[in-house]
Amino acid sequence: MYRTSYFFTLGIGVTLLLTACMGVQSVVPNPRTINLTSLSGVQDVISFDVSTDNDKIHALVAGKLSDKTKLTVVRYVSSEDGGQHWNAAVDIATDSNPIAVRGNDVQIAATGDNRVAIWQTKGEFPSMGPMVSYYSHDAGKTWHKGVNPAVDNNGDQAHIDVIADKKGIFHAVWLADPEENGYQSLRYARSLNGGEQWQASQKLDDSTCSCCWNTLAVSPSGELNILYRDMKPRDMALMQSSDNGVTWRRTSTVGTFGWQFDGCPHIGGGLAVDEHNVLYSSVWTGLDGKSGLYTLRSSDNGNTWSTPQAIGKLASHSDIAVNQQQLAMIWDEREPDGLSIFSAQSKDGGSTWSTAQRLSATGIMATHPRIISIEHGFLALWTEKHNKQPSQWMVKMLDE
């Protein structure tokens, strides 16, 4: 389920193609890069997630304690100053047997003193299993095991995302096939009591791609947005709720490429909303002749989207964030000697973008980046691996 495998799964020959306003700049990585691996207390980071609540950053990390044990721990870390300093890691679980890989990551959301963490655990079959949830009501100091947001613990419950809205409601989405139809569907549940219990789950889309991550975003108006990859065609789709998750509607296709494909690309997308409820997205397609990463914008609540703007044919896993009038996009990109992280910013709503800047070193495998808005810019996070060394968790502050 390692997302970079799509180069082999798809069998698509790709060449580098950047738009005129998106040139790649090879520079020495910014010294403001921080290695969070030691702080997390793990040696080999296999998965992480990050979210924000007001000015506080919340992160969840899963990893191996040493190369001499197979034990995987899940820990919570937080920062109150935009990622410059981080609080000591807190154990959430050391015996949950998580299925945690990049592209099917552990998940964290927070509001006030409440925290919710969800991830997939190993079940009866390899690489398949149910979700498990944990909650905290004391700002992450202590954690308690909650109930599974799904109907039961059967089958494969993967590619989870969780978010909290301004009313303190937690919302979770995932892929599952409890009816055993032979294909995954998009599922949703919400918690009104800080993650202790979850209301009955809903099936939002009967048939979706089975291997791509889902992305939740909440608009300032309270609209809930889910970006996910549909089945036929394999384009990205937008699902929305305007009543706190009680009812849902499939609003639009985000990038109408008409990509017909029966395999697994292992690539989801990025979604962000500004203070005027304008939506921004980063999506990837494998359509012949147009394969690559694109960015789009919607000014009418996701009903229609701008013409997809190409970022690059070798760019794949991406994320996008907005900070007032500034946009930032991040992605990993295949190079002759490895996989690198790049980022670019836009000051005009995504119409034009700055020259892409390299964030990671060359000659390594840096992958699955995330980006969040902080007080004076953005915070970029990713994992990287040097040869046969353990995977490291990297963070870099980006100025506006």
Side-chain angles (χ1 to χ4, degrees):
M1 301 183 75
Y2 196 73
R3 288 192 211 159
T4 51
S5 64
Y6 80 90
F7 287 100
F8 307 100
T9 305
L10 299 181
I12 296 174
V14 290
T15 56
L16 181 63
L17 175 63
L18 299 180
T19 57
C21 56
M22 294 288 294
V24 173
Q25 179 181 5
S26 296
V27 297
V28 176
N30 192 308
R32 298 175 73 188
T33 301
I34 303 170
N35 190 329
L36 281 183
T37 310
S38 297
L39 181 143
S40 69
V42 300
Q43 184 186 70
D44 188 7
V45 175
I46 61 175
S47 178
F48 79 85
D49 186 39
V50 62
S51 66
T52 59
D53 176 39
N54 295 320
D55 295 326
K56 193 166 186 177
I57 301 171
H58 310 273
L60 202 63
V61 59
K64 302 294 180 65
L65 290 175
S66 73
D67 56 5
K68 298 180 180 179
T69 177
K70 294 183 179 180
L71 180 66
T72 300
V73 298
V74 181
R75 291 175 171 168
Y76 167 75
V77 295
S78 60
S79 172
E80 299 178 11
D81 60 3
Q84 298 183 61
H85 303 89
W86 294 80
N87 299 319
V90 177
D91 271 349
I92 297 180
T94 58
D95 59 353
S96 66
N97 210 16
I99 297 175
V101 296
R102 304 310 321 278
N104 186 23
D105 288 290
V106 295
Q107 298 295 322
I108 181 75
T111 177
D113 287 336
N114 292 327
R115 314 279 186 270
V116 168
I118 308 178
W119 59 87
Q120 187 181 18
T121 60
K122 296 179 182 178
E124 182 179 357
F125 302 101
S127 302
M128 296 177 61
M131 293 184 291
V132 64
S133 71
Y134 285 79
Y135 65 89
S136 171
H137 294 328
D138 58 5
K141 297 181 180 66
T142 61
W143 292 80
H144 310 277
K145 189 174 182 179
V147 298
N148 188 340
V151 174
D152 52 42
N153 288 329
N154 297 326
D156 186 32
Q157 299 164 3
H159 305 290
I160 308 154
D161 198 16
V162 62
I163 201 169
D165 64 23
K166 292 182 179 179
K167 295 185 177 181
I169 302 173
F170 285 88
H171 308 269
V173 296
W174 64 95
L175 301 181
D177 179 23
E179 297 87 5
E180 297 184 356
N181 293 318
Y183 46 82
Q184 299 288 80
S185 58
L186 183 66
R187 304 281 166 152
Y188 162 82
R190 67 178 190 169
S191 173
L192 305 181
N193 59 358
E196 292 188 30
Q197 288 91 28
W198 295 82
Q199 294 186 338
S201 63
Q202 302 179 48
K203 179 167 62 175
L204 304 186
D205 192 319
D206 182 65
S207 177
T208 70
C209 183
S210 301
C211 60
C212 297
W213 74 85
N214 306 293
T215 303
L216 278 163
V218 180
S219 303
S221 61
E223 193 94 20
L224 287 169
N225 306 274
I226 306 173
L227 181 70
Y228 68 102
R229 191 174 295 280
D230 215 338
M231 177 72 85
K232 292 184 179 181
R234 280 291 207 281
D235 294 339
M236 302 299 291
L238 182 69
M239 188 77 65
Q240 292 182 310
S241 172
S242 56
D243 54 11
N244 303 310
V246 177
T247 60
W248 292 83
R249 65 189 181 279
R250 188 191 186 284
T251 306
S252 60
T253 298
V254 188
T256 308
F257 297 99
W259 183 35
Q260 301 294 337
F261 183 67
D262 292 330
C264 290
H266 296 277
I267 304 175
L271 188 64
V273 192
D274 69 14
E275 67 270 27
H276 303 295
N277 296 300
V278 177
L279 281 76
Y280 305 91
S281 182
S282 59
V283 303
W284 183 92
T285 181
L287 182 67
D288 287 342
K290 292 186 177 180
S291 64
L293 183 65
Y294 294 80
T295 181
L296 304 92
R297 163 186 170 140
S298 174
S299 300
D300 59 1
N301 194 36
N303 288 291
T304 60
W305 291 83
S306 62
T307 301
Q309 183 177 355
I311 300 301
K313 283 195 172 184
L314 292 183
S316 55
H317 315 109
S318 68
D319 198 11
I320 194 167
V322 59
N323 191 335
Q324 297 181 5
Q325 301 302 312
Q326 189 98 343
L327 276 173
M329 189 172 172
I330 194 169
W331 64 91
D332 59 29
E333 186 168 309
R334 178 70 63 175
E335 296 191 294
D337 57 352
L339 199 63
S340 300
I341 305 298
F342 290 91
S343 180
Q345 297 187 29
S346 174
K347 296 182 179 180
D348 56 10
S351 296
T352 60
W353 292 82
S354 65
T355 299
Q357 181 181 13
R358 178 193 300 277
L359 303 185
S360 62
T362 60
I364 62 174
M365 294 298 292
T367 185
H368 290 78
R370 295 290 308 280
I371 192 162
I372 57 173
S373 170
I374 55 177
E375 183 178 2
H376 298 296
F378 300 92
L379 195 70
L381 307 93
W382 68 89
T383 53
E384 64 182 40
K385 189 176 181 67
H386 300 249
N387 296 322
K388 297 182 180 180
Q389 299 299 310
S391 183
Q392 303 293 293
W393 184 22
M394 310 303 295
V395 178
K396 175 176 286 189
M397 287 170 281
L398 308 178
D399 295 326
E400 289 183 306

